[in-house]
Amino acid sequence: MADTNPIKQFEVHELVPFEAFGLNLAFTNSSFFMMLTTLVTIVLFTLAMSSRALVPNRSQSVAEIIYGFVADMLRSTAGNDALRFFPFVFTLFIFILVANMLGMFPYFPGPGLHSFTITSHLIVTVALAMLVWLTVIVYGVFKNGAKFLKLFVPSGVPGYILPFVVFIEVISFISRPVSHSVRLFANMLAGHILLKVFAGFIVMLGAGLGVGGYFIGIAPFAMTLGLTALEFLVAFLQAYVFAILTCIYLSDALHPGH
């Protein structure tokens, strides 16, 4: 019978074992999907923009729409001067989007390469969130110097509660990588577990009740189809949410005054 364990899909497997200086540096299925995500993104955009026609074809139109979508996102949340961060935000958005979409395809050739979503692993989303957080700090201090600390001192706050408000602002800023990373991780993890659970119902009903079980399994099958469509939407929305929060945080680096 097929494996119906909903957690097994998140296991990390070594594909090419390798150790150096006592460290396990094996090439895993997680590494494979990160490389595949990067490769697919490069290939798709290279092909889409290869013609650079004045009247764009469909693939070029899609690429230009995505370009304009991210650029408008930056302008609306952080202003025109935030476009200097366009390559950074665009890369994050596309990487997360493609990684989420690849995780929706159930099978890949090779052992250990069944459906695997790298954004369902907290270590990956934490790394991305920390990259954003450190970028905000480094650029904020570089551009504004000590004025960057205005981020923690809202204007118009009475002096007798100012220390309390500053404390809350500091805690809120420190917790940003946590909320930024957990939101993406938790949504992708929960969605894939739910899909696996409903798909497993079909297998268990068929194995336990025979032909009659497969007729009963129509209900979980329909639910699985509906959840799959919803999960594709979630895959896009989570990439968008991560990118829009990145834009908001970068706005603080550009304009630290409240």
Side-chain angles (χ1 to χ4, degrees), residues 11-171:
E11 291 180 354
V12 177
H13 303 285
E14 292 185 1
L15 302 180
V16 182
F18 180 71
E19 283 195 18
F21 307 106
L23 298 175
N24 186 356
L25 303 176
F27 184 79
T28 65
N29 54 340
S30 180
S31 307
F32 171 82
F33 275 90
M34 288 185 193
M35 291 184 62
L36 181 63
T37 298
T38 304
L39 181 63
V40 167
T41 302
I42 293 172
V43 169
L44 288 179
F45 275 90
T46 300
L47 292 176
M49 301 305 297
S50 58
S51 61
R52 298 182 183 178
L54 185 62
V55 179
N57 54 29
R58 290 181 181 178
S59 59
Q60 184 178 336
S61 295
V62 171
E64 291 178 356
I65 288 171
I66 296 173
Y67 180 99
F69 176 75
V70 176
D72 290 341
M73 187 194 311
L74 263 171
R75 289 193 194 97
S76 62
T77 55
N80 287 326
D81 52 345
L83 289 177
R84 68 190 67 184
F85 290 108
F86 175 83
F88 177 61
V89 177
F90 185 84
T91 301
L92 280 176
F93 174 73
I94 292 299
F95 180 82
I96 294 172
L97 178 62
V98 174
N100 289 350
M101 292 300 178
L102 286 178
M104 294 300 299
F105 294 92
Y107 296 105
F108 284 84
L113 294 184
H114 297 294
S115 179
F116 189 89
T117 310
I118 57 176
T119 49
S120 65
H121 282 245
L122 187 58
I123 186 62
V124 175
T125 60
V126 166
L128 295 175
M130 286 298 296
L131 177 62
V132 174
W133 190 66
L134 292 174
T135 300
V136 170
I137 294 175
V138 172
Y139 186 80
V141 172
F142 170 77
K143 181 179 184 295
N144 303 286
K147 292 181 180 180
F148 180 66
L149 296 177
K150 288 183 178 180
L151 182 64
F152 309 111
V153 187
S155 58
V157 177
Y160 62 91
I161 64 169
L162 185 60
F164 181 68
V165 172
V166 169
F167 175 75
I168 293 176
E169 290 288 341
V170 170
I171 296 300

Side-chain angles (χ1 to χ4, degrees), residues 162-255:
L162 185 60
F164 181 68
V165 172
V166 169
F167 175 75
I168 293 176
E169 290 288 341
V170 170
I171 296 300
S172 175
F173 184 82
I174 293 174
S175 65
R176 280 181 180 181
V178 177
S179 60
H180 204 185
S181 59
V182 170
R183 182 181 288 103
L184 174 59
F185 151 75
N187 277 280
M188 300 311 300
L189 180 75
H192 282 273
I193 288 178
L194 200 58
L195 277 176
K196 186 72 171 183
V197 168
F198 277 97
F201 284 161
I202 304 170
V203 177
M204 289 187 289
L205 286 169
L209 302 177
V211 176
Y214 284 109
F215 281 105
I216 299 174
I218 292 175
F221 177 73
M223 183 64 73
T224 301
L225 289 179
L227 286 173
T228 300
L230 179 62
E231 194 63 17
F232 272 107
L233 176 61
V234 170
F236 168 78
L237 288 177
Q238 288 307 310
Y240 170 73
V241 169
F242 195 95
I244 194 71
L245 287 175
T246 299
C247 294
I248 293 171
Y249 297 157
L250 289 172
S251 177
D252 289 338
L254 292 163
H255 317 289

